[in-house]
């Protein structure tokens, strides 16, 4: 039997604004095996970040988790009291975010910031935590780590900040790392370095990785399996080889077709017509049907079932019923 | 073919010593945003300009649009030196040159309807009357595939999706049939699935109206499908210029190679999934750029000569220009 480190079942997170309810995450199921890297891919506003935040209940005050389970090593994080959850945050599940500057304290030096978690979680002395922090900085391949540990975030470049954030995330040797668009704010050449670093760390520390991104290229390089998210729901899931080679859902195929390649410039560039639906409206049937080329009357009325295509691939689409 | 735009050894330095100190300090510290760039754009072609953030590509666009004035060098638009254009004649200049920026929301006035936004250039520049204007705007919206136009004409920018907003910006830019459109990261803020729509539209409008484009982006894949010739910029200088096919088939500058190999191919069986050729470090500050070749701090092929002797941009045949001492050996290395 395969062991799952994280099992999420029918998770629902809605955002309550002044007048509307945004169904950001509307019943998603996913699993992550030990040591596996899983990607969640989707466009902006599809709910992928809310999914990631819901795992550790890092959701903003206007949002609420309405239902579902997040089982992590046997405990349901949705119902866990706040103090218990705090023991898991940072220690067993760590997160890396898109914009490192926002998540670093500008008035605290890098070494102390990394060490803070160690002092809290592992009851280390400050001195020991500092030494560990320097060690962490060298794991993320920062040159002259002891100098950098005395510097402040504004003195570092974008790539260095992201490395520092990763060092912080892995400082307590967590078993699951959640990375939300970790390279979107970086230049392409630096992005390549960070992706390589994540791959390295994952192998070295035997981490499981949940990667949230809009970039199919990153998923292809870093993940074993992926979930494709559209308008609050997963439309397709599977191992990367099946999904990239034989995508089943029209949305996935559309995404893969809109990728630009450097070696084959086509006459027409692929795209999906229309735009993402407003998640505060009541959506009936398949959420993709207004943009779908294969839309049938049934698609408008009923939500598609989740169909198993093969051992490694599932899709939610009426085309395969 | 006629040249729409010719740039000759253009430099733009910004002083970073502020206020009072300026008066006394003899050696003011300068940020070298654009440092001796030359290229030309032929009529009807798409010229791509690529580089990482801070390489000076947007400053260059601002110089061409006369939003900034160069420290030295010449910018010729249709053979005319733009530094001679009188403030009073700017209006005529902007009839021939238009811009599309990255963030469509900030380039559209939130308090004006689409009709008002699109009628402005037409009434100011062409002096159209009200009834003609309406027809013109309908045609424009039709051109950029916002159909049916009646649905869009009275909406406000916030009522449109990102892709639709960018299409309104494009409609405004092409309304006057300019000779050159400068597009600075036109699709960077858009989702993948609609990026293609905007790019196809730009190509279609070009073939219909024969405009030239200067397409500025950090995304080489966008340039590959859009442009005829591409220039790669690094720290205010041009590293390499070539035709698109040539540049991707035979990149000669180590930076170009690094950029190409940094692109993650969305194919799980790609050989690069194992290990790619990755550039080390990050772009140095343009305030005190490294001496010699500006790229030497990140270059895998660096030799002692590179730290003192600055390479010139030389032609190596087939309209391919490169600024590297060792391009011959580097060109043969696999990516």
């Amino acid at each position: 039997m395969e062991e799952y480190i994280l099992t999420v079942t029918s998770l629902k997170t809605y955002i309550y604004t002044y007048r509307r309810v945004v169904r950001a995450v509307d019943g998603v199921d996913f699993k992550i095996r030990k040591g596996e890297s899983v990607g969640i891919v989707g466009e902006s506003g599809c709910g992928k970040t809310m999914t990631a935040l819901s795992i550790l209940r890092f959701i903003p005050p206007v949002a609420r988790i309405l239902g579902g389970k997040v089982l992590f090593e046997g405990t349901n994080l949705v119902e866990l009291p706040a103090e218990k959850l705090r023991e898991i945050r940072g220690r067993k599940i760590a997160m890396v975010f898109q914009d490192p500057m926002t998540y670093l304290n500008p008035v605290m030096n890098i070494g102390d910031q990394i060490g803070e978690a160690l002092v809290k979680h592992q009851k280390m002395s400050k001195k020991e935590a500092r030494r560990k922090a320097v060690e962490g900085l060298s794991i993320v391949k920062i040159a002259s780590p002891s100098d950098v540990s005395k510097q402040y975030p504004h003195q570092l470049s974008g790539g260095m900040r992201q490395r520092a954030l990763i060092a912080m995330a892995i400082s307590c040797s967590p078993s699951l790392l959640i990375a939300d668009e970790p390279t979107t704010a970086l230049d392409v050449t630096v992005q390549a370095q960070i992706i390589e670093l994540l791959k390295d760390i994952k192998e070295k520390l035997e981490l499981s990785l949940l990667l949230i991104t809009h970039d199919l290229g990153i998923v292809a390089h870093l993940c074993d399996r992926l979930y494709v998210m559209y308008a609050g729901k997963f439309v397709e899931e599977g191992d990367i080889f099946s999904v990239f080679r034989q995508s089943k859902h029209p949305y996935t195929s559309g995404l893969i077709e809109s990728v630009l390649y450097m070696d084959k410039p086509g006459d027409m560039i692929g795209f999906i017509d229309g735009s993402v639906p407003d998640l505060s409206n009541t959506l009936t049937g398949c959420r993709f049907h207004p943009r779908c080329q294969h839309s049938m009357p049934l698609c408008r009325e009923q939500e598609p079932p989740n169909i198993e295509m093969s051992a490694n691939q599932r899709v939610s689409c009426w085309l395969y019923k | 073919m006629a040249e729409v735009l010719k740039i000759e050894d253009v430099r733009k330095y910004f002083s970073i010593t502020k206020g009072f100190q300026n008066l006394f300090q003899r050696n003011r510290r300068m940020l070298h945003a654009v440092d001796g760039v030359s290229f030309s754009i032929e009529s009807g072609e798409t010229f791509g300009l690529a580089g990482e953030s801070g390489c000076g590509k947007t400053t260059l666009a601002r110089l061409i649009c006369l939003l900034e004035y160069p420290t030295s060098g010449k910018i010729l638009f249709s053979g005319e030196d733009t530094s001679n254009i009188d403030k009073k004649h700017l209006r005529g200049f902007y009839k021939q040159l238009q811009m599309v920026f990255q963030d469509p929301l900030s380039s559209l006035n939130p308090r004006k309807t689409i009709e008002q936004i699109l009628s402005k250039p037409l009434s100011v520049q062409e002096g159209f009357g009200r009834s003609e204007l309406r027809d013109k705007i309908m045609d424009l919206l039709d051109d950029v595939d916002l159909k049916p136009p009646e649905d869009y004409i009275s909406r406000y920018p916030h009522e449109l999706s990102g892709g639709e907003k960018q299409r309104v910006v494009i409609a405004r830019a092409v309304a006057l049939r300019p000779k050159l459109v400068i597009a600075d990261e036109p699709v960077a803020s858009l989702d993948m699935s609609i990026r293609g729509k905007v790019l196809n539209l730009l190509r279609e409008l070009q073939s219909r109206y024969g405009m030239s484009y200067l397409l500025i982006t950090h995304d080489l894949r966008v340039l590959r499908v859009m442009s005829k010739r591409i220039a790669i910029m690094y720290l205010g200088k041009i590293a390499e210029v070539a035709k698109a096919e040539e540049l991707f088939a035979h990149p000669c500058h180590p930076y170009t190679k690094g950029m190409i190999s940094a692109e993650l191919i969305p194919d799980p069986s790609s050989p690069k999934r194992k290990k790619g050729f990755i550039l080390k470090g990050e772009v140095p500050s343009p305030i005190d750029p490294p001496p010699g070749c500006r790229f030497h701090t990140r270059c895998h092929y660096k030799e002692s000569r590179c730290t003192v002797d600055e390479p010139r941009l030389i032609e190596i045949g087939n309209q391919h220009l490169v600024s590297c001492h060792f391009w011959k050996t580097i060109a043969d290395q696999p990516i």
Side-chain angles (χ1 to χ4, degrees):
Chain A
M1 204 190 108
E2 280 168 311
E3 229 182 310
Y4 291 104
I5 186 163
L6 187 81
T7 315
V8 175
T9 35
S10 49
L11 179 72
K12 271 189 188 177
T13 307
Y14 289 2
I15 303 167
Y16 294 84
T17 62
Y18 179 54
R19 237 176 250 155
R20 322 175 299 162
V21 181
V22 181
R23 298 169 184 84
V25 183
D26 209 3
V28 301
D29 300 87
F30 64 98
K31 291 172 174 179
I32 302 174
R33 295 190 185 96
K34 265 210 169 109
E36 188 183 39
S37 27
V38 169
I40 297 181
V41 185
E43 295 177 282
S44 48
C46 75
K48 55 192 195 297
T49 296
M50 281 310 276
T51 308
L53 295 176
S54 301
I55 294 170
L56 281 173
R57 303 217 313 259
F58 274 137
I59 49 173
V62 287
R64 234 187 299 157
I65 298 177
L66 291 179
K69 268 190 194 165
V70 177
L71 276 180
F72 173 73
E73 293 179 343
T75 13
N76 185 0
L77 301 184
V78 172
E79 283 159 1
L80 207 63
E83 312 88 71
K84 294 266 186 207
L85 187 63
R86 216 170 292 143
E87 281 168 23
I88 288 173
R89 286 177 177 174
R91 183 193 229 164
K92 294 198 166 154
I93 304 179
M95 254 185 116
V96 176
F97 300 92
Q98 173 173 355
D99 176 15
M101 198 55 187
T102 322
Y103 294 92
L104 290 170
N105 186 342
V107 293
M108 198 172 176
N109 72 41
I110 297 293
D112 287 345
Q113 287 192 52
I114 297 173
E116 201 184 12
L118 293 165
V119 174
K120 283 251 159 66
H121 284 310
Q122 308 194 339
K123 313 276 181 273
M124 273 187 195
S125 70
K126 277 215 166 155
K127 211 173 156 193
E128 209 178 335
R130 264 210 92 84
R131 200 182 45 78
K132 269 281 193 189
V134 175
E135 213 177 284
L137 287 173
S138 64
I139 292 176
V140 295
K141 296 185 183 128
I142 284 184
S144 58
S146 64
D147 293 342
V148 172
S149 76
K150 290 180 197 106
Q151 284 181 322
Y152 290 85
H154 74 270
Q155 293 169 294
L156 306 182
S157 65
M160 295 262 272
R161 280 181 208 143
Q162 195 58 279
R163 280 170 199 270
L165 205 65
I166 293 171
M168 199 183 293
I170 60 169
S171 64
C172 294
S173 28
S175 39
L176 174 66
L177 181 67
I178 303 172
D180 184 7
E181 301 267 11
T183 58
T184 311
L186 306 172
D187 274 320
V188 272
T189 55
V190 183
Q191 161 172 312
Q193 296 167 3
I194 298 288
I195 297 289
E196 214 50 47
L197 174 72
L198 281 172
K199 215 193 273 184
D200 244 41
I201 284 176
K202 204 195 98 45
E203 266 162 41
K204 240 182 245 165
L205 306 177
E206 294 169 356
L207 283 172
S208 308
L209 180 72
L210 175 63
L211 181 82
I212 315 285
T213 182
H214 66 276
D215 191 331
L216 287 171
I218 298 178
V219 172
H221 278 248
L222 210 54
C223 296
D224 306 316
R225 249 163 9 96
L226 85 151
Y227 291 85
V228 181
M229 195 166 186
Y230 186 77
K233 280 185 184 297
F234 288 151
V235 294
E236 183 160 3
E237 59 178 272
D239 70 296
I240 50 167
F241 292 95
S242 314
V243 176
F244 275 94
R245 297 266 169 68
Q246 302 154 354
S247 57
K248 295 286 189 254
H249 200 280
Y251 177 62
T252 319
S253 313
L255 276 187
I256 293 173
E257 274 161 33
S258 20
V259 165
L260 304 172
Y261 289 93
M262 281 192 290
D263 44 352
K264 36 186 165 181
D267 279 341
M268 277 300 269
I269 306 161
F271 62 88
I272 307 173
D273 225 338
S275 49
V276 184
D278 186 344
L279 294 182
S280 59
N281 294 336
T282 327
L283 304 166
T284 50
C286 171
R287 293 173 176 212
F288 187 61
H289 84 256
R291 299 175 76 185
C292 186
Q293 293 174 339
H294 312 284
S295 168
M296 304 174 278
L298 185 63
C299 302
R300 239 165 288 153
E301 288 147 20
Q302 280 185 49
E303 213 170 293
N306 190 265
I307 301 160
E308 185 165 2
M309 300 303 294
S310 71
N312 307 322
Q313 199 174 7
R314 299 181 76 87
V315 65
S316 299
C317 182
W318 281 116
L319 284 177
Y320 302 98
K321 192 71 192 174
Chain B
M1 240 203 260
E3 280 166 355
V4 181
L5 184 79
K6 192 174 170 69
I7 292 177
E8 288 174 357
D9 198 31
V10 164
R11 281 162 213 273
K12 176 70 186 176
Y13 299 160
F14 294 102
S15 166
I16 54 157
T17 329
K18 280 187 193 136
F20 206 51
Q21 292 178 326
N22 244 339
L23 293 171
F24 301 108
Q25 281 196 342
R26 212 164 278 160
N27 299 319
R28 287 189 294 172
R29 293 187 75 198
M30 289 292 190
L31 186 149
H32 303 243
V34 177
D35 209 359
V37 167
S38 311
F39 62 81
S40 60
I41 301 177
E42 285 166 10
S43 79
E45 85 166 339
T46 301
F47 187 83
L49 191 59
E52 291 179 283
S53 51
C55 75
K57 52 193 198 301
T58 297
T59 304
L60 194 61
R62 291 176 60 87
L63 288 169
I64 298 167
C65 303
L66 298 182
L67 295 171
E68 305 272 1
Y69 289 90
T71 311
S72 72
K74 255 193 208 168
I75 299 172
L76 301 165
F77 186 79
S78 312
E80 195 191 345
D81 190 341
T82 54
S83 62
N84 295 335
I85 295 176
D86 203 305
K87 278 249 161 70
K88 287 176 206 148
H89 298 108
L90 272 181
R91 193 172 279 181
F93 173 69
Y94 287 129
K95 193 173 164 180
Q96 297 177 51
L97 180 138
Q98 284 286 317
M99 299 138 254
V100 173
F101 294 105
Q102 172 170 355
D103 180 11
L105 187 60
S106 63
S107 12
L108 296 172
N109 187 336
R111 300 179 57 164
K112 295 246 158 100
T113 61
I114 303 308
E115 179 171 21
Q116 288 170 313
I117 288 169
L118 291 179
S119 62
K120 203 74 187 176
L122 292 168
S123 63
V124 168
Q125 296 272 14
E126 311 269 9
F128 282 119
R130 204 174 261 182
S131 57
E132 289 167 300
L133 263 179
R134 185 128 208 162
D135 291 343
K136 280 272 170 196
I137 290 165
M138 292 294 204
D139 289 348
L140 269 177
L141 288 172
D142 202 65
D143 263 357
V144 295
D145 206 25
L146 290 172
K147 288 173 191 164
E150 307 84 56
D151 279 5
Y152 288 94
I153 205 155
S154 53
R155 288 210 224 169
Y156 287 91
H158 75 267
E159 295 174 291
L160 304 179
S161 71
E164 288 171 336
K165 270 182 271 207
Q166 195 60 295
R167 281 185 270 157
V168 171
V169 174
I170 291 169
R172 181 175 59 184
V174 301
L176 302 164
R177 311 276 179 267
K179 282 187 185 160
L180 175 68
V181 174
I182 298 177
D184 190 357
E185 300 276 13
V187 293
S189 65
L190 304 180
D191 271 318
M192 285 175 291
S193 70
I194 43 177
R195 213 169 265 195
K197 174 122 191 160
V198 171
L199 294 177
N200 283 332
L201 177 73
L202 282 170
R203 291 211 291 207
E204 204 184 299
L205 290 169
Q206 184 175 46
S207 66
R208 201 177 304 159
Y209 302 122
M211 299 167 283
S212 309
Y213 289 142
L214 171 60
L215 187 61
I216 299 174
T217 173
H218 67 281
D219 191 340
L220 284 181
R221 285 182 277 182
V222 169
L223 292 185
R224 178 71 184 103
V225 295
M226 294 292 290
S227 41
K228 205 176 127 202
R229 287 188 303 140
I230 297 171
I232 307 282
M233 252 181 114
Y234 186 77
L235 264 188
K237 284 188 182 290
I238 287 185
E240 189 164 7
V241 190
K243 287 187 179 153
E245 314 89 69
E246 167 85 7
L247 188 83
F248 287 94
H250 310 287
C252 291
H253 197 284
Y255 180 59
T256 315
K257 289 200 152 181
M259 289 264 282
I260 292 174
S261 67
E263 294 284 346
L264 301 168
I265 300 162
D267 175 5
S269 48
S270 137
K272 272 197 264 163
R273 193 169 139 86
K274 298 271 167 347
K275 190 100 187 162
F277 166 85
I278 294 173
L279 284 180
K280 53 189 178 180
E282 287 174 59
V283 186
S285 156
I287 293 169
D288 295 304
C293 172
R294 296 205 164 175
F295 185 62
H296 82 251
T297 53
R298 303 179 70 190
C299 188
H300 288 275
Y301 308 99
K302 181 186 89 175
E303 289 188 28
S304 56
R305 183 183 170 192
C306 303
T307 58
V308 279
D309 187 7
E310 187 171 342
R312 289 159 51 97
L313 197 63
I314 47 161
E315 174 145 13
I316 58 170
N318 195 14
Q319 290 187 23
H320 191 150
L321 287 85
V322 62
S323 79
C324 177
H325 296 304
F326 305 106
W327 67 268
K328 268 186 191 145
T329 46
I330 289 162
D332 298 333
Q333 308 279 341
I335 291 178

